Amino acid sequence: MTSPPTAAPDTHTLGSAEAGTPSAARRGTEFEGTATVVARQTVADGVVSLELAASCGEPLPPWRPGAHIDVVLPTGVIRQYSLCGPVKDTARWRVAVLREPDGRGGSQWIHDHLVEGGELRVRGPRNNFPLRPAARYLFVGGGIGITPLLPMIAEAEAAGAEWSLLYGGRTRASMAFLPELEGYGERVTVRPQDQYGLLDLTGHLGDPDRSALVYCCGPAGLIDAVEAHCAGWPTGALNVERFAAADVRQPAGDEAEQPIEVELRASGTTLTVPPGLSVLKAVEQAGVPVLSSCEEGICGSCETSVLEGEVDHRDSLLTDDERAANDTMLICVSRARGRRLVLDL
Amino acid sequence: MTLTQHVRNGWYLGAWSDEIGRTLKQRWITDLPVCFYRLPDQTVTAVEDRCPHRKYPLSLGHLDDDGTLQCDYHGYRFDGQGVCVGVAEQADKPKAALRRFPLVERDGAVWIWPGDPELADEGLLPDTSWLNDPNWTHVHGVVPLKARHLLLLENLLDLTHETFLHPTSIGNAAVAATPIDVTVDGDRVGFSRRMTGIEAPPFYEKSCGLTSPVDRWQDGDFYPPGIFVLNIRVAATGTEEPDGFHMKVLYGMTPGRGNETHDFYALGRDYLIDDQELTRFQHEQQLAVMQEDVDALEAQEIMYATDPGGTAESSIKSDLAALRGRRAVAKMLTREQQAGTARPRASA
Ligand code: FES
Ligand code: FES
Ligand SMILES: [Fe+2]
């Protein structure tokens, strides 16, 4: 029997701790400041890797596989990059940046202007994509989506877990970190699209396996395909991280970016719910008891009557008619179309 | 949340036609005792199986050749309309009538409406003509289930479980791996799953003489509160629907007494209809698969019944149709409760 890697509980794996207590715990383990580029290297067509160290010379906070940092560019653009160096290295963080010609200019600026010795504002790390213990891992990486998987693979390997990686990209030349991955031998299957076509997910993932966890990061199309493939797998078996650029749940317009005001009429309180915090969490933090279970808009336990305001429904359960009626909402995922909602809570 | 109360304003499969004759048959439906029998003109009747005198079950009484029903405790006698026509003890008729339930007998099935008779609308019944179509053949029956009807409903609306619960017959990984589309039309919940180029599960391999790969389609429709129809098509990969093998499964999920359910089934096909051997095989398989479900649901029922605190359930995407079905039933129940309890009334 292989012993699964221990994902030591720490304060920066995402979960209720982060959502529930936003301040102290997180600040303690987060870095926010200036980092110096101590190494810059082109690692594939259109991909550079950067090694960052704290400009003040202090060690960097620890992190776990799956963690990312925010990079605040001089243009004001904030970008997230997964940490992809060794977890143990508290002197340097490594990230890899793909030049995205269609992006908002963040990656272009890094490619064109950031040289060794240059400085960047960074904060983090945070982890929305934590690696959980398992006896077996199936990794699927697409393009730059390989980055969060690298430390995961290192951890799985160190723990003696069974694992395999299916790694796709446009062309072999565009795929970063191939030499590093070659060291793992047959566990790694490299499949550039120009040679092999679409990734053979069926062959790689196979049938649902209770002992296996699937970790996938890559472009939206790949993640959608993996999600479809794993639809019948046990809950939680599939873990994905989408690139920030491919926002899946963005509603029309940018209302999601706005804080909303939620009046809980029965309790006589009004809350401001910032973007990124669900109405459910805000209500819970306000000490108002409310049922919830899946927190994904599936189960319906958090269903709440809406007294005023227009709902921006983002659940999977309500029917079109129920949505149109605008008298009920699943507060774990849904928000407001306007700036204000009145709930019967 | 799992409902333990029963919707009454809705059609349920009360019996197969061939179960009802000139003998009295008791069956509990939505916690109501029902006595089924046929009148001399062959029409089916269903009355509340409680004598208005001292509540003795009428199904323990007997039926005269002229269709008079007699309670065998103190001899109350009821005509074909359920009206008391006399009692042996005395000359004048006691004032009494039996509650009669709206019924529809069609294509070999007897549908019963246990709620408010004025709401009984035949238009809500699904098309069952295939049960009576010369181009089709089917087997049918009823299996007792000691679990609440909602668990059966969720079982049928989430066929992902085939992969895990029926791996040797109708399930394989393709079922769980293929997401479903869920549609809601009024109270009705439908789902469809299209599996293309998959390995044929053993049952279909044998039933259709197909070898892998095959295309397999499942289109399920839930007519709340208690009817489910599954359309199945299996075809060699690449052929179109008309070339496929077509099967239908009808389930009548009829709540009985307490948390017991009558699990009515009919399994039909439109090919090799004279092949008795195939019919026998399919029937055997159907019952074997249902037994796997019954065992699972009865085990599940105990867990729900002993978990009154209702610890939270976890749900996943493939639960969507089942959760919608659950909502549909919950809504019907709320509507019914808001409208006030339907008065038991004699529809004489
Ligand atoms: S908690 Fe499940 S839908 Fe909101
Ligand atoms: S109980 Fe039926 S006649 Fe008395
Ligand atoms: Fe089943």
Side-chain angles (χ1 to χ4, degrees), chain A residues 207-208 210 228-229 231-232 235 292-294 298-299 303 316-319 322, chain B residues 160 164 173 176-177 179 184 312-318 320 323-324 327 331:
Chain A
D207 294 338
R210 278 162 217 272
H229 188 94
T235 316
S292 68
S293 166
C294 70
I298 296 172
C299 72
E303 185 170 357
S316 321
L317 179 65
L318 298 185
T319 61
E322 288 170 328
Chain B
T160 330
F164 305 97
V184 175
E313 297 165 311
S314 158
S315 299
I316 51 173
K317 289 203 183 74
S318 55
L320 194 54
L323 287 165
R324 290 234 166 114
R327 280 174 79 80
K331 273 196 188 158

